[in-house]
């Protein structure tokens, strides 16, 4: 359980989307195009790292009775900062992401890492944990976005793949497509994951 | 002591104040750039919906944002105005350009919206916006008849069409009250 494990666990073994099935609201809602998945993942990772650092720094000062509201204020502060900085210096990215940024506040991955990890660990391990979880969340959303965009619009990162003749499956960029894609991906990963039985029986 | 009510309140007040302070500083730091971007985008939007215009003036007395586009020789190329109203899940804000002489739209530009990404959000795509350029202001503006609809986003298409149809008579009226091309 060394420092590198705290980083790597978020990528696969405790991947927030495919293994822990957390943060489903942004996962299902924004992944109808690959670029949305990348942008949402990176913005979430930024907030995750910042909030984990602050929570790890002031964990001993926060009484347990008010820890959840305290974490939510810290997270909401960083989400607003991210929104303002994007609006001021990266207006194009902010236009794509603008609608989703406030959603980051209610992303349970961030609150879960603050509660389950940063409030019990030091700053260094909290940063590694947040980076691993953030990257794990980003690649999961990007994969979902790529699959849904290819099937639903016949393009990848906005680049058309099949030309004019392709009849796109609109359902994949609609909400049902999110459930179908995510369910099939989790089933696929479970089928190829050897320790699924032990994992699911004992938690 | 650590679980006394007073301590809980003090901790929450301190965290809230710190959060407010950080946000106020960030806001102060970023707002000049945000305003500058907004002003630049407004100018670009006005000039984009009135082809031929190189600068614009605001109708100060109009009850809603309304501008006239002027070309280099000083003649009026058209009128632009901002209309906003309900879309599928939020407000859609549109800059519309009208050529009053020819009674035709010269272009529209979606300024902001919160439609579904990948569906309703496609109202910002060029093929959708450009179909309105050249349309007579007396057209019906009905989705799937004289307005080409977006697959899976009929409500967003209808919202844009309805906003245009409802706002045009007001603007023509305002234009006359404000002295037309003077």
């Amino acid at each position: 359980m060394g420092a590198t494990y705290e980083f790597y666990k978020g990528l696969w073994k405790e991947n927030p989307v495919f293994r822990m099935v957390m943060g489903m609201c942004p996962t299902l809602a924004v992944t109808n195009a690959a670029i949305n998945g990348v942008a949402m993942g990176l913005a979430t990772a930024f907030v995750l790292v910042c909030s984990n650092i602050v929570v790890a720094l002031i964990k001993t000062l926060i009484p347990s009775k008010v820890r959840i509201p305290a974490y939510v204020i810290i997270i909401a502060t960083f989400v607003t900062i991210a929104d303002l900085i994007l609006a001021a210096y990266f207006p194009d990215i902010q236009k794509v992401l603008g609608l989703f940024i406030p959603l980051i506040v209610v992303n349970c991955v961030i609150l879960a890492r603050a509660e389950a990890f940063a409030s019990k660990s030091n700053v260094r391990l909290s940063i590694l944990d947040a980076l691993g979880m953030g990257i794990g969340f980003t690649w999961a959303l990007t994969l979902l976005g790529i699959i849904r965009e290819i099937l639903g619009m016949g393009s990848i990162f906005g680049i058309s793949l099949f030309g004019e003749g392709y009849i796109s499956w609109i359902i994949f960029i609609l909400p049902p497509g999110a459930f179908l894609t995510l369910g099939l991906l989790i089933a696929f990963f479970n089928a190829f994951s050897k320790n699924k039985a032990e994992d699911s029986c004992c938690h | 002591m650590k679980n006394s009510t007073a301590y809980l309140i003090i901790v929450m007040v301190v965290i809230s104040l710190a959060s407010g302070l950080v946000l106020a500083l960030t806001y102060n730091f970023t707002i000049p750039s945000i305003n500058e971007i907004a002003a630049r985008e407004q100018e670009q939007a006005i000039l984009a919906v009135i082809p031929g215009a190189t600068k614009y003036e605001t109708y100060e007395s109009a009850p809603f944002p309304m501008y006239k586009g002027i070309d280099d020789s000083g003649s009026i190329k058209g009128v632009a105005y901002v209309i906003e109203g309900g879309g599928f899940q939020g407000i859609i804000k549109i800059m519309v350009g009208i050529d009053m002489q020819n009674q035709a739209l010269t272009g529209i530009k979606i300024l902001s919206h919160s439609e579904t990404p990948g569906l309703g959000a496609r109202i910002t795509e060029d093929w959708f916006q450009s179909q309105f350029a050249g349309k007579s202001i007396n057209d019906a503006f009905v989705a799937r008849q004289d307005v080409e609809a977006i697959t899976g986003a009929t409500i967003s298409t209808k919202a844009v069409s309805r906003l245009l149809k409802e706002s045009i008579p007001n603007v023509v009226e305002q234009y006359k009250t404000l002295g037309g091309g003077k």
Side-chain angles (χ1 to χ4, degrees), chain A residues 139-201:
Chain A
W139 82 254
L141 260 60
T142 309
L143 178 64
L144 269 169
I146 287 174
I147 294 173
R148 291 180 63 193
E149 189 180 341
I150 289 176
L151 295 175
M153 290 195 265
S155 63
I156 182 167
F157 288 102
I159 302 157
S160 179
L161 288 179
F162 308 115
E164 290 293 313
Y166 180 72
I167 297 167
S168 50
W169 300 3
I170 293 293
I171 191 169
F172 276 96
I173 53 172
L174 291 169
F179 288 100
L180 288 171
T181 314
L182 182 66
L184 290 173
L185 274 178
I186 291 180
F188 179 80
F189 286 137
N190 275 346
F192 286 92
S193 169
K194 53 182 183 291
N195 56 355
K196 61 187 171 186
E198 297 91 304
D199 263 359
S200 55
C201 76

Side-chain angles (χ1 to χ4, degrees), chain A residues 32 36 58-66 69-70 73-74 76-77 80-81 84-85 87-89 91 95 99-100 153 170 173-175, chain B residues 2-3 7-8 11-12 15-16 18-19 22-23 26-27 29-31 33-34 37 40-41 111 113-119 122 151-152:
Chain A
N32 51 15
N36 291 348
I58 63 169
K59 59 179 182 286
T60 51
L61 302 172
I62 302 176
S64 63
K65 275 184 186 165
V66 292
I73 294 176
I74 292 167
T77 307
T80 314
I81 291 174
L84 284 171
I85 289 177
Y89 302 107
K95 281 215 183 72
L99 314 170
F100 306 132
M153 290 195 265
I170 293 293
I173 53 172
L174 291 169
Chain B
K2 215 180 164 183
N3 269 322
Y7 184 74
L8 300 185
V11 167
M12 288 312 287
I15 290 179
S16 306
S19 159
V22 170
L23 286 183
T26 317
Y27 181 80
F29 185 69
T30 52
I31 198 68
S33 173
I34 292 175
I37 290 168
R40 197 168 60 225
E41 281 179 353
L111 299 177
H113 68 89
S114 31
E115 302 306 285
T116 321
L119 294 169
R122 295 179 65 201
T151 318

